[in-house]
Structures are given as C-alpha cells and as structure tokens.
C-alpha cells in the first residue's frame, strides 16, 4: 500500500497550489530574500536531522508515518504563522508541504512541477548553507 491514493479533486487542487507557488516564485518570490532564506533554513534543518544528502533524498527516505507527522506539523505551524502575521515563513512552509505531497503522487503534471519547485528549494538550501552564520557547537 502506498500513500499515492488521493482523489482526482485533490490532485487538481494540488496542481493548482503548485502552479500558484511556481507562478509566484517566477513573478517575484525568488527576489524575496527573506522568504527564500526561511525556506532554505527550514529544509536544511530537515535534511540535516534526517541524515539525508539533499531534499529529494530526504523526501524519498521518509517513511509514511514520519511523512504524515511532518505534514501535520507543517500544517499546525503554518496556521500559527499565518495567525501571527508571519506570512513569509508560512509561505516557505507551504512550498515545502506542496513539494512533499507532490512527491508521493503518481501524476506527471505534479512530478514535473515538483522538479521545478525542488530546483528552487535546492538553491535556497545551497544559499542558506553559504550565507547562514554557523551556530557554535558545544564542546564535549
């Protein structure tokens, strides 16, 4: 059993969300340093904690139960960010969530869009790693 069993209506909704994110990124989102930094930092943290080499391998290696937990956490945190007026951080979580969900669907349009979104995510991770100030490590 896979988790690639969402309804056609849900597939259409996900396509629309993915298209909106990609359109926004192309229009101005890529120029929004704060939003891109937030996205890069969030994904970097997930990839590092998951012991993955990159975002795609993180998603592929995520067991179904962890996938569901992560989506629920993203939803909860995203709703709180919106309520707090932190729209750029909420936007970053939305992009992450759409990429996650699209990765588990058997739909060519979603796969193609996911690849475009993941290319942006990979760039934000690289930029985050290059420009973020490292946190001091604790001595043992």
């Amino acid at each position: 059993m896979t988790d690639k069993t969402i309804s056609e209506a849900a597939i259409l909704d996900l396509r629309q969300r993915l298209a909106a994110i990609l359109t926004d990124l192309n229009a101005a989102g890529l120029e929004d340093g704060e939003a891109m930094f937030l996205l890069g930092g969030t994904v970097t943290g997930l990839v590092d904690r998951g012991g993955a080499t990159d975002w795609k391998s993180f998603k592929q290696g995520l067991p179904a139960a962890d996938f569901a937990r992560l989506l629920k956490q993203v939803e909860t945190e995203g709703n709180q960010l919106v309520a707090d007026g932190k729209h750029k951080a909420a936007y970053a979580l939305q992009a992450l969530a759409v990429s996650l969900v699209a990765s588990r669907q058997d739909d060519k349009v979603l796969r193609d869009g996911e690849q475009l979104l993941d290319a942006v995510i990979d760039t934000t991770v690289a930029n985050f790693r290059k420009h973020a100030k490292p946190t001091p490590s604790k001595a043992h």
Side-chain angles (χ1 to χ4, degrees):
M1 170 99 183
T2 67
D3 46 359
K4 297 182 180 190
T5 56
I6 66 173
S7 70
E8 186 61 32
I11 291 285
L12 292 174
D13 180 62
L14 187 57
R15 284 179 182 175
Q16 289 174 341
R17 288 174 190 255
L18 181 55
I21 289 169
L22 291 171
T23 298
D24 181 56
L25 286 170
N26 283 327
L30 294 173
E31 301 302 318
D32 187 333
E34 181 182 356
M36 296 299 97
F37 189 79
L38 291 166
L39 178 58
T42 300
V43 172
T44 297
L46 289 170
V47 168
D48 289 353
R49 282 190 303 279
T53 56
D54 58 23
W55 177 236
K56 183 177 179 178
S57 61
F58 172 82
K59 292 188 302 180
Q60 289 174 339
L62 199 59
D66 292 340
F67 176 86
R69 251 190 317 277
L70 179 57
L71 277 182
K72 184 64 178 165
Q73 179 182 351
V74 166
E75 177 186 26
T76 300
E77 289 181 19
N79 288 339
Q80 187 60 54
L81 289 167
V82 169
D84 293 345
K86 297 179 179 177
H87 299 286
K88 290 181 183 190
Y91 176 81
L93 286 182
Q94 179 186 25
L96 179 152
V98 168
S99 174
L100 274 170
V101 175
S103 73
R104 302 280 172 119
Q105 307 313 312
D106 188 18
D107 181 87
K108 182 179 178 354
V109 172
L110 288 175
R111 279 193 311 272
D112 291 347
E114 176 200 5
Q115 288 178 356
L116 293 171
L117 181 54
D118 285 358
V120 171
I121 291 172
D122 288 341
T123 299
T124 68
V125 168
N127 286 335
F128 182 85
R129 290 191 191 283
K130 181 178 178 184
H131 297 291
K133 293 179 181 169
T135 56
S137 60
K138 296 178 182 175
H140 294 283

